[in-house]
Amino acid sequence: MVQERTLPSFQASQAQISREEGLRVYEDMVLGRTFEDKCAEMYYRGKMFGFVHLYNGQEAVASGIIKAMRSDDYVCSTYRDHVHALSAGVPARQVMAELFGKETGCSRGRGGSMHLFSSEHNLLGGFAFVAEGIPIATGAAFTTAYRRNALGDTSADQVTACFFGDGAANNGQFFECLNMATLWKLPILFVVENNKWAIGMSHERATSDPEIYKKGPAFGMPGVEVDGMDVLAVRAVAQEAVARARAGEGPTLIEALTYRFRGHSLADPDELRSKEEKEFWLARDPIKRFAAHLTEFNLATHEELKAIDKKIEALVAEAVEFAISSPEPKPEELTRYIWAED
């Protein structure tokens, strides 16, 4: 087991979050976890096919970042994109239907697990190639800046959140886009979900400097390290970065130290990570941690949290039924949605 990094301290008692917002964030995290668990069940029952990469354990990052943004802001994901889509507001039934390859899916069954997309919810897409989404997200942020600064559109103050993993931080697109974003003060959050492993490659073995957030100042932007298993800590960092971006002060690089509780994909036997490492991170489950905070500070009762759990279980079960009963794409429409007019 590689020596764990010392996580930055965060005083949860000082977190400014209302009861309403706390319950909203908790529900979003539970939705992400429950949805992914159901995906695993469907995959192993032979109902879902292809590569499926689950997000279990990383929920504090998606909820902490996206729920600190507005609904008209932009979200750009990776191949581990289900929960980003859900946090961005894409209905669970549309995401599940897409994973089943059905016409009612958010990408009309053409994208599957790694290519979720929803123009309605400003979800710019999931991307199968590592770091592929970073230039797309940078382009979206440039569009906002151009509309505001060149075209004089004062309503153009949207912020883009660009999610990617620690492995992507070694790709050239990452460095090129950090440089461009700083030069043009683009309204973007570069969010590194450092879950320690790029498939089977340990992060410490793959990079000359494992502290990714330090690469932000090298390009003239703030670099922030945050405990990615603490949704309140992530939320606080996100709020500050979003405010900077919306005020025209440019990008922020956020490195969220997190961990995936399952293998790289559902086809991965997950034999490379040590039992000790997994147990270390499982003990820091972000959902249990946040639930404890809500009850400790009298923002919710155990009964209220259990009611949310049951509500989400029913929602996800309904999403599966919707996906199963939905129609398959028509073979004669195989070439639709290739060109812009469709």
Side-chain angles (χ1 to χ4, degrees):
M1 178 176 171
V2 175
Q3 179 65 38
E4 299 291 349
R5 279 164 61 176
T6 300
L7 296 171
S9 61
F10 178 79
Q11 298 298 322
S13 60
Q14 298 178 9
Q16 299 296 317
I17 188 168
S18 66
R19 166 184 158 81
E20 180 183 5
E21 182 67 12
L23 292 176
R24 187 170 79 103
V25 171
Y26 177 79
E27 182 171 318
D28 189 62
M29 295 175 72
V30 172
L31 172 59
R33 177 72 58 86
T34 306
F35 188 94
E36 298 293 69
D37 284 344
K38 183 60 71 173
C39 286
E41 177 189 336
M42 293 295 105
Y43 183 89
Y44 291 131
R45 287 176 56 188
K47 302 293 185 180
M48 193 180 291
F49 306 96
F51 287 103
V52 179
H53 307 80
L54 300 188
Y55 199 77
N56 298 57
Q58 301 180 206
E59 296 88 357
V61 185
S63 296
I65 298 288
I66 298 173
K67 292 307 178 185
M69 302 170 70
R70 296 194 318 230
S71 60
D72 64 331
D73 288 331
Y74 295 95
V75 173
C76 192
S77 187
T78 67
Y79 50 71
R80 205 177 301 278
D81 55 354
H82 312 163
V83 178
H84 293 149
L86 294 170
S87 292
V90 183
R93 51 166 38 196
Q94 289 186 19
V95 179
M96 189 67 76
E98 186 61 35
L99 300 182
F100 276 67
K102 298 300 185 71
E103 180 69 32
T104 53
C106 58
S107 300
R108 296 190 178 274
R110 274 74 169 177
S113 173
M114 294 188 283
H115 296 283
L116 301 177
F117 169 81
S118 177
S119 59
E120 177 186 353
H121 301 92
N122 285 354
L123 177 69
L124 299 175
F127 296 90
F129 287 106
V130 173
E132 185 183 12
I134 300 177
I136 303 297
T138 304
F142 175 79
T143 298
T144 298
Y146 187 82
R147 284 174 51 207
R148 186 175 187 86
N149 300 327
L151 302 182
D153 183 355
T154 57
S155 68
D157 66 344
Q158 291 79 14
V159 174
T160 298
C162 176
F163 293 90
F164 51 96
D166 46 281
N170 296 318
N171 284 36
Q173 293 145 301
F174 169 69
F175 299 103
E176 293 170 20
C177 290
L178 257 61
N179 183 60
M180 184 182 296
T182 299
L183 282 174
W184 292 333
K185 288 189 175 183
L186 301 185
I188 184 169
L189 279 58
F190 293 104
V191 184
V192 186
E193 299 190 87
N194 185 353
N195 61 25
K196 294 174 60 68
W197 293 87
I199 306 181
M201 173 61 74
S202 170
H203 173 61
E204 286 76 10
R205 293 181 57 199
T207 183
S208 58
D209 185 353
E211 295 179 300
I212 302 170
Y213 74 99
K214 291 183 177 179
K215 297 172 184 178
F219 287 91
M221 73 176 69
V224 185
E225 180 188 37
V226 66
D227 182 355
M229 305 300 272
D230 183 347
V231 71
L232 291 173
V234 176
R235 180 175 177 271
V237 166
Q239 287 175 324
E240 182 176 350
V242 168
R244 285 189 69 256
R246 217 178 295 284
E249 298 174 9
T252 302
L253 174 62
I254 300 171
E255 181 183 4
L257 302 175
T258 186
Y259 199 74
R260 51 176 166 81
F261 289 169
R262 294 180 178 269
H264 171 69
S265 74
L266 287 176
D268 178 11
D270 196 22
E271 297 171 343
L272 295 173
R273 302 186 299 174
S274 70
K275 181 174 181 289
E276 293 76 19
E277 181 180 280
K278 293 176 188 177
E279 290 176 348
F280 173 86
W281 287 92
L282 282 167
R284 306 182 64 249
D285 188 309
I287 297 178
K288 293 179 180 178
R289 190 172 178 178
F290 188 48
H293 175 88
L294 292 174
T295 54
E296 179 183 353
F297 288 90
N298 299 315
L299 295 172
T301 64
H302 291 290
E303 290 70 26
E304 287 174 321
L305 298 184
K306 288 180 181 178
I308 290 175
D309 295 345
K310 290 183 179 180
K311 170 187 172 182
I312 294 302
E313 287 178 8
L315 176 70
V316 173
E318 189 278 332
V320 171
E321 291 302 316
F322 174 79
I324 291 174
S325 61
S326 291
E328 302 275 354
K330 298 177 181 178
E332 57 268 26
E333 294 189 344
L334 179 64
T335 58
R336 280 198 69 187
Y337 309 113
I338 294 176
W339 311 111
E341 55 265 26
D342 283 326

